[in-house]
Amino acid sequence: MLSISAGAFLQRLRTAFPDREFIMRSQGQVRFIRISSRSQKIAAGVAVCVLGAWCASVGALALSQVSTGTAQAALAGREAKVARAEHSVEQYRENIDTVASDLARRQKFIEQMVDAHISDLPESTEAAQPEAADETGAKVKKISALMPEAGALARIEAAQIAMVDRLTRYADTRSRAASDAIRSLGLNPNAIRTSARTAEGGPLVKLVTSGDGSVDPRFRRMGQSLARMGALENGLASIPQVSPAHVAYVSSSYGYRSDPFTGSAAFHAGLDFPGPMGSPIYAAAKGRVTFVGQKSGYGNCVEVSHGNGLMTRYGHLSGFRAHVGQKVDAGALIAAMGSTGRSTGSHLHFEVRVNDRPVNPRPFLEAAQTAQSNLQNNNQPQKERS
């Protein structure tokens, strides 16, 4: 096969470069110039070599330019770091009082963020990023060497930046844990965060880190991470996770069943928890009571909205222990068990609805309890878990 291909190639080569004769007329004389096939092949080979050498030189030039651009970018990055350090030194030199005021504003920013989003400051988190730590350390040394009287302020600033870095990564770690827990329940963490911002308001209380009213990007990033952590964990806490009645078993599950009155096939949109008349009924998650009264088929009924399209419904009640607009925590007493409405005996009919569509409460409750347990373990201080 290879010999046939080689032969065909040689045949095509000979066909492409046949012996050629050119007729030249000059001053009444006719000359015949013959160019052999071999000469044509040599000339073509030389032309290919020249073209290849030209392409190689162009490629080498392009590669050199790319390497030069990369080196220049790296040099520009180093120059930017030096410029930042020199700018910081210049700020310290111009007005130490202004620097001290900015450090006080930064400290207030950190304290407000911790008070708003973290009850207990983490004692141990991941170490600071090496590059950031090196840059901050170099700046402290330079300021201390040039202006010994400003060394203490520079060390305070370095400690603040290190704390901001720790808090940002701590918040990101907790956000990932909450996201994983919410995702394990079949919900979208991004939808939880989005819906948490549907209604906002209040007086403007600005947070700044500099006298000119600006916010250092590192502090802004920390605030955003803490806010995201708070929204996700609040969303997780609003997911049904507490059994609404302390009973030994469920008398009727979610889905297909024979209707207790007609015996025909029917769809049951919740779980039935049987128990003595007047037994306490608890909110399955924190939320706000949005309905207290009677509904067709449910009898006396309470509905609690948990945000993000989640709502729990409690039916066949004998009494109410909550009112519309009341905010309740998970496990809060909201009603008493009964047999009102379309009921054959004392029990609680419990529903979980997402965007007003019923879903099976059983896996919801089971998965939420596991997710909450895992999240609490992840958020415990290191020394408590060791």
Side-chain angles (χ1 to χ4, degrees):
M1 187 69 178
L2 291 175
S3 60
I4 295 174
S5 300
F9 175 75
L10 292 175
Q11 180 61 35
R12 290 181 180 179
L13 195 61
R14 282 192 291 270
T15 303
F17 297 99
D19 292 340
R20 302 178 187 272
E21 287 187 351
F22 296 92
I23 301 175
M24 301 287 294
R25 297 174 185 265
S26 177
Q27 297 178 353
Q29 295 181 352
V30 177
R31 295 179 182 179
F32 294 91
I33 300 176
R34 183 175 180 274
I35 302 177
S36 65
S37 175
R38 183 171 179 274
S39 298
Q40 294 179 56
K41 294 175 184 176
I42 292 174
V46 171
V48 170
C49 291
V50 171
L51 181 61
W54 179 80
C55 291
S57 63
V58 171
L61 179 61
L63 182 62
S64 174
Q65 290 177 341
V66 171
S67 300
T68 301
T70 303
Q72 289 177 344
L75 179 61
R78 289 193 294 271
E79 290 176 347
K81 289 183 180 180
V82 173
R84 286 198 298 268
E86 291 178 351
H87 178 67
S88 298
V89 172
E90 194 62 29
Q91 282 184 317
Y92 274 77
R93 181 178 284 115
E94 287 179 355
N95 196 336
I96 292 182
D97 291 338
T98 300
V99 173
S101 297
D102 287 347
L103 291 178
R105 292 187 183 92
R106 291 184 173 199
Q107 188 63 32
K108 181 179 180 181
F109 189 108
I110 294 173
E111 291 173 355
Q112 286 181 298
M113 291 298 98
V114 171
D115 291 341
H117 298 281
I118 303 175
S119 57
D120 295 319
L121 192 63
E123 294 185 3
S124 61
T125 56
E126 301 175 9
Q129 299 296 329
E131 183 178 353
D134 292 343
E135 183 179 347
T136 303
K139 187 172 77 172
V140 171
K141 290 180 181 179
K142 188 167 185 176
I143 292 174
S144 299
L146 295 176
M147 301 180 63
E149 69 277 13
L153 292 179
R155 286 189 289 273
I156 292 174
E157 181 182 5
Q160 287 181 343
I161 296 302
M163 173 61 72
V164 166
D165 180 65
R166 286 177 56 204
L167 288 174
T168 300
R169 286 179 289 111
Y170 174 73
D172 289 342
T173 298
R174 284 180 53 169
S175 292
R176 285 192 295 272
S179 292
D180 292 342
I182 292 170
R183 197 173 288 109
S184 72
L185 302 175
L187 299 176
N188 182 2
N190 294 324
I192 294 278
R193 295 199 338 249
T194 300
S195 59
R197 296 177 57 87
T198 54
E200 297 178 331
L204 174 62
V205 181
K206 294 190 68 174
L207 286 170
V208 299
T209 58
S210 301
D212 60 3
S214 63
V215 178
D216 185 293
R218 293 164 293 190
F219 285 69
R220 186 184 301 277
R221 170 77 175 87
M222 176 193 69
Q224 291 171 342
S225 292
L226 288 170
R228 177 174 180 267
M229 176 197 75
L232 287 168
E233 292 185 350
N234 185 65
L236 180 60
S238 299
I239 294 173
Q241 60 197 270
V242 173
S243 178
H246 297 167
V247 298
Y249 67 98
V250 172
S251 59
S252 184
S253 297
Y254 178 88
Y256 174 89
R257 72 172 180 179
S258 297
D259 183 79
F261 289 93
T262 66
S264 61
F267 179 79
H268 189 226
L271 299 177
D272 285 348
F273 296 86
M277 184 73 67
S279 297
I281 303 300
Y282 307 100
K286 75 172 186 178
R288 185 172 62 88
V289 178
T290 54
F291 180 84
V292 174
Q294 292 190 340
K295 278 185 178 291
S296 177
Y298 295 93
N300 291 335
C301 177
V302 171
E303 292 180 352
V304 180
S305 175
H306 308 283
N308 306 298
L310 284 169
M311 184 264 283
T312 49
R313 179 176 291 166
Y314 312 78
H316 308 310
L317 307 173
S318 63
F320 304 119
R321 304 291 186 269
H323 59 269
V324 173
Q326 179 180 344
K327 292 183 177 180
V328 295
D329 293 325
L333 179 65
I334 57 173
M337 188 177 295
S339 185
T340 56
R342 198 168 183 270
S343 170
T344 61
S346 178
H347 73 286
L348 167 70
H349 173 84
F350 174 66
E351 290 184 12
V352 175
R353 304 180 78 89
V354 178
N355 296 324
D356 205 30
R357 297 184 62 179
V359 297
N360 189 353
R362 187 189 296 275
F364 225 73
L365 294 176
E366 293 173 353
Q369 289 174 347
T370 302
Q372 281 288 343
S373 176
N374 293 339
L375 183 64
Q376 290 172 0
N377 291 334
N378 289 334
N379 291 343
Q380 284 181 353
Q382 187 68 33
K383 65 179 184 178
E384 291 184 9
R385 283 183 279 167
S386 59

